[in-house]
Amino acid sequence: MRETWRWFGPKDPIRISEVRQTGTAGIVSALHHLPAGVVWSPQEIAAHQRRISHDGGQPTGLAWEVVESLPVSEDIKRQTGPWRDHIAAWKQSLEHLAAAGIPTICYNFMPVLDWTRTALARPLPDGRACMAFDLIDFAVFDIYLLKRPGTDYEPAVVEEAGRWAKEMDDTARTALARNILCGLPGSVETLTLDTLKEHLALYGDITPERLRANMVEFLEEVTPLAEALGLRLCCHPDDPPFPLLGLPRVMSTEADYAAIMDAVDLTANGITLCSGSLGARPDNDLPGMMRRLGARVHFLHLRNVHRETAGPPCSFHESGHLEGDVDMVALIAEARAEEKRRVAAGRADANIPFRPDHGLDMPDDRGRLGQPGYPLVGRHVGLAELRGVIAALDRSAA
Ligand code: DNO
């Protein structure tokens, strides 16, 4: 398992020379300043590689190994406007990334919102802080702030949301909206309530079946090229893994992944197995998914969640990497087993990249104001724990 670390580029308050001290082997990054739909030029890619390989003129020994994300435009997801041009640009970017030697490309197919949380720094009893998704808070946002017609929450959720909405003052309401609209780490786009409403209207007639068909069509276009270039595409799951705001979501379960893998049956059509996103549903068996879908898992996001209510949809908060509802040790054991199968099969990609996904905010992280969920100390603790699990499993298998 190859250790990697997500770095957000020059805006990231964590310097590459600091990342190096975590002992990580490679960097996950993106050209966050470019909007979806444009070509990533060789010059832009090379400049970013240089930002990673050098800090203050000094070599860092680190290289850009995984792209997260090469954004898929809303037009491609809906098949509207210049979507064919956007696919052509995506393919051109793949050619440039392959020429630059970056083999693994993560993307997602979530309409409008990427990850969604109602709290970005909820204090835990021991003083750490975590990101959380509270279904009642989300319903308050949806029903009382966004005022979306036709919401379909359970009656008990609507009732509770009504009580909470009365108790919230303007400051609390503004903070809630800001947290929910934050949903795209490092992106150039910032949503407001009004732009969100406009985006939702554009998805009015797009059913999950239609979105899945559009995704398959997109993959039929881009995957053969990726395969020929020796690249591995890997789709990140929906986070949280259930529909929000009436938008379709099609990458939430094992069955969703199996359908997409079967529809475009090439190794380059792969998965970013994010244990924290998928783990917010009790019916997602993460070690089992790693065992059954493993041959197509090209990238692992390892983090954990603690589910607070039954669901989906449900409330949950992010926990320490070894503390939540996902059996992280069993999941890593399955990832190691997959790597052994790849070695036996002579596959060149036997070393699967993973990153410690998210981390709890710990004391020294508070002053940095980095990307929510991406603190230096909290993530380093997560990496250290995961590294310990891997070492212990390897020792007992030897
Ligand atoms: C959240 C991330 C996601 C992920 C994208 C990949 O912290 O895991 O935003 O980067 O969904 O396309």
Side-chain angles (χ1 to χ4, degrees):
M1 293 174 72
R2 185 154 177 90
E3 291 181 9
T4 62
W5 182 278
R6 189 176 195 185
W7 185 64
F8 289 96
K11 280 189 327 199
D12 196 320
I14 302 166
R15 296 184 64 128
I16 279 285
S17 49
E18 294 176 303
V19 174
R20 189 184 182 189
Q21 293 176 44
T22 66
T24 194
I27 295 295
V28 176
S29 197
L31 300 181
H32 290 290
H33 56 288
L34 298 182
V38 308
V39 176
W40 287 12
S41 70
Q43 296 74 17
E44 289 273 12
I45 294 169
H48 201 58
Q49 285 179 305
R50 170 87 194 174
R51 287 178 203 119
I52 290 168
S53 63
H54 287 78
D55 191 356
Q58 297 300 311
T60 60
L62 292 167
W64 185 8
E65 298 183 2
V66 178
V67 170
E68 181 178 349
S69 301
L70 184 57
V72 177
S73 70
E74 297 300 316
D75 279 319
I76 294 178
K77 292 173 200 161
R78 292 190 307 253
Q79 294 198 347
T80 52
W83 67 281
R84 288 188 189 279
D85 296 339
H86 289 179
I87 292 186
W90 217 82
K91 289 166 82 171
Q92 182 93 63
S93 300
L94 290 186
E95 297 200 14
H96 296 160
L97 289 163
I102 306 173
T104 309
I105 318 291
C106 172
Y107 69 97
N108 74 70
F109 220 81
M110 283 176 255
V112 189
L113 295 169
D114 190 329
W115 60 273
T116 305
R117 299 289 182 270
T118 54
L120 303 181
R122 182 198 281 177
L124 288 167
D126 60 13
R128 296 176 297 173
C130 68
M131 300 213 287
F133 179 87
D134 187 288
L135 189 59
I136 308 293
D137 272 336
F138 194 78
V140 170
F141 169 79
D142 195 358
I143 300 169
Y144 294 95
L145 305 187
L146 197 60
K147 301 190 170 62
R148 187 171 64 90
T151 57
D152 56 358
Y153 297 94
E154 295 283 325
V157 172
V158 176
E159 204 179 301
E160 188 77 349
R163 260 198 301 277
W164 287 25
K166 279 201 204 95
E167 283 169 19
M168 271 187 191
D169 59 16
D170 280 351
T171 318
R173 286 172 178 234
T174 310
L176 177 62
R178 201 185 43 233
N179 293 348
I180 291 172
L181 295 171
C182 180
L184 224 169
S187 151
V188 283
E189 286 173 59
T190 314
L191 286 173
T192 62
L193 279 178
D194 286 336
T195 50
L196 176 58
K197 278 186 201 152
E198 285 164 21
H199 276 289
L200 293 181
L202 294 174
Y203 275 88
D205 59 350
I206 303 203
T207 59
E209 292 69 31
R210 170 87 188 281
L211 184 69
R212 188 174 287 118
N214 292 357
M215 181 171 180
V216 169
E217 217 173 305
F218 165 71
L219 287 170
E220 281 169 345
E221 274 286 325
V222 300
T223 317
L225 174 67
E227 185 99 354
L229 292 169
L231 298 175
R232 291 178 286 282
L233 308 178
C234 39
C235 186
H236 189 280
D238 303 326
D239 183 1
F242 40 80
L244 295 177
L245 306 177
L247 288 165
R249 289 198 147 185
V250 295
M251 294 304 270
S252 296
T253 64
E254 178 167 355
D256 287 342
Y257 269 103
I260 292 292
M261 294 304 112
D262 287 351
V264 182
D265 198 9
L266 292 170
T267 306
N269 176 25
I271 301 169
T272 297
L273 197 88
C274 175
S275 57
S277 304
L278 294 164
R281 281 179 82 108
D283 52 349
N284 277 335
D285 157 23
L286 266 301
M289 288 174 81
M290 185 68 218
R291 188 163 58 247
R292 291 182 287 272
L293 300 169
R296 303 282 274 278
V297 172
H298 300 319
F299 187 27
L300 282 158
H301 282 184
L302 298 181
R303 71 177 167 85
N304 222 321
V305 284
H306 183 76
R307 295 185 294 268
E308 296 165 4
T309 58
C314 65
S315 300
F316 60 87
H317 65 264
E318 301 190 4
S319 58
H321 288 70
L322 304 185
E323 289 166 12
D325 291 326
V326 174
D327 185 341
M328 191 61 77
V329 177
L331 173 57
I332 292 175
E334 290 296 347
R336 294 303 267 163
E338 169 58 24
E339 290 187 326
K340 287 205 182 100
R341 286 194 288 275
R342 292 186 187 189
V343 171
R347 273 176 68 163
D349 59 348
N351 203 357
I352 304 173
F354 78 97
R355 64 176 181 81
D357 194 17
H358 300 186
L360 300 174
D361 280 332
M362 312 218 16
D364 281 357
D365 294 320
R366 306 273 149 72
R368 293 239 189 191
L369 294 179
Q371 293 289 336
Y374 289 88
L376 174 60
V377 180
R379 258 189 304 166
H380 195 178
V381 168
L383 176 60
E385 290 176 345
L386 297 169
R387 194 181 270 160
V389 169
I390 296 166
L393 284 170
D394 286 355
R395 177 65 62 88
S396 61

